[in-house]
Amino acid sequence: MRSMAGRGTTRAPAPLRPGPAGPDRAAELRDRILDAAASCLMEAGLDARLHAQIAQRAVVSRPTVYKYVGDQDAVVAALLERELDRFVEAVLPRLHVGASNDLVAELVDGVVLIVDYARAHELLQTFLRDHPEIILPALTTGSDAVLDQVLGVFEKPLGAAIAGRVAVSPRVAAEWFYRLVVSLITTPGSARATPEELRDYVGGLVQVLGVTASSPASPAR
């Protein structure tokens, strides 16, 4: 995951730092700190007192926040990494790409599901509204780590679904849909404000991409 925009560095989320607590207790402390950090960021945004606010809400000391997560960049990176993991856990079981003969409808349903999830995600929406300089590079120009993780999850099921139907590699197809989803999340647009408008819009894009050439059904409903 990229660090905060403008810093000119790349930083992965800090590993769980060693301390007097055992592994289970350390993991619980880190989760509690990140929960507090998410609440603080949604309520007050980024400011110089972020660590003090996190410590107060998590009922720990400021040194504990630094010990188990790190500085402000590390807090943001760890939160984004954790939310990406939660997204995969929440969305992947609900995707059904390759489960039927209607590939187009499955792809459209998947995009709509992911975009709806993102639109309802309070922390993501807070970052998009108040700190686009952080979240936009993480999803676009600095998205290598995110994209690799997403492709690692979705490349195989998408590859199985499009085998023999679409003349592109599964990785390329997965990246197309990643770019599409990010565009819809970051620039929603009035023409696709409702789920049905979004479904119609995505269905049209999928057809333009040529997926319908060998898929037997239309996504229209």
Side-chain angles (χ1 to χ4, degrees):
M1 185 71 66
R2 298 282 180 179
S3 68
M4 295 171 62
R7 303 295 178 88
T9 59
T10 301
R11 175 184 299 173
L16 189 61
R17 299 184 171 203
D24 291 343
R25 174 60 175 162
E28 186 275 329
L29 276 171
R30 184 181 172 96
D31 273 341
R32 192 202 310 174
I33 290 167
L34 291 179
D35 287 342
S39 297
C40 291
L41 285 168
M42 286 188 287
E43 291 176 8
L46 288 168
D47 63 37
R49 296 190 63 253
L50 179 62
H51 275 66
Q53 295 167 356
I54 293 171
Q56 181 178 18
R57 186 176 291 267
V59 195
V60 298
S61 67
R62 287 182 64 192
T64 298
V65 177
Y66 281 98
K67 174 180 281 294
Y68 288 98
V69 183
D71 62 12
Q72 192 174 96
D73 279 9
V75 168
V76 172
L79 272 175
L80 295 179
E81 181 75 8
R82 188 177 72 161
E83 293 310 310
L84 179 59
D85 289 340
R86 289 180 172 180
F87 155 75
V88 170
E89 292 174 1
V91 172
L92 186 59
R94 299 166 60 191
L95 292 177
H96 303 291
V97 177
S100 73
N101 290 323
D102 196 342
L103 174 60
V104 173
E106 291 171 352
L107 293 175
V108 172
D109 286 346
V111 172
V112 172
L113 172 64
I114 294 169
V115 173
D116 281 347
Y117 177 94
R119 288 179 176 177
H121 195 289
E122 291 185 73
L123 184 61
L124 174 60
Q125 294 305 314
T126 296
F127 271 103
L128 286 171
R129 182 186 68 243
D130 299 336
H131 302 290
E133 76 282 1
I134 295 173
I135 195 64
L136 292 180
L139 295 175
T140 55
T141 58
S143 65
D144 290 351
V146 178
L147 183 56
D148 283 345
Q149 184 169 349
V150 170
L151 294 181
V153 172
F154 294 108
E155 183 178 355
K156 185 175 180 179
L158 184 57
I162 68 175
R165 301 185 183 192
V166 182
V168 295
S169 72
R171 188 172 185 84
V172 169
E175 185 168 345
W176 280 353
F177 281 95
Y178 172 82
R179 303 297 183 192
L180 171 60
V181 166
V182 168
S183 175
L184 291 169
I185 291 170
T186 56
T187 55
S190 59
R192 41 198 185 276
T194 69
E196 285 308 312
E197 289 170 341
L198 176 62
R199 186 177 301 280
D200 290 342
Y201 181 84
V202 175
L205 286 178
V206 171
Q207 293 184 49
V208 168
L209 289 174
V211 176
T212 55
S214 54
S215 182
S218 166
R221 293 185 178 181

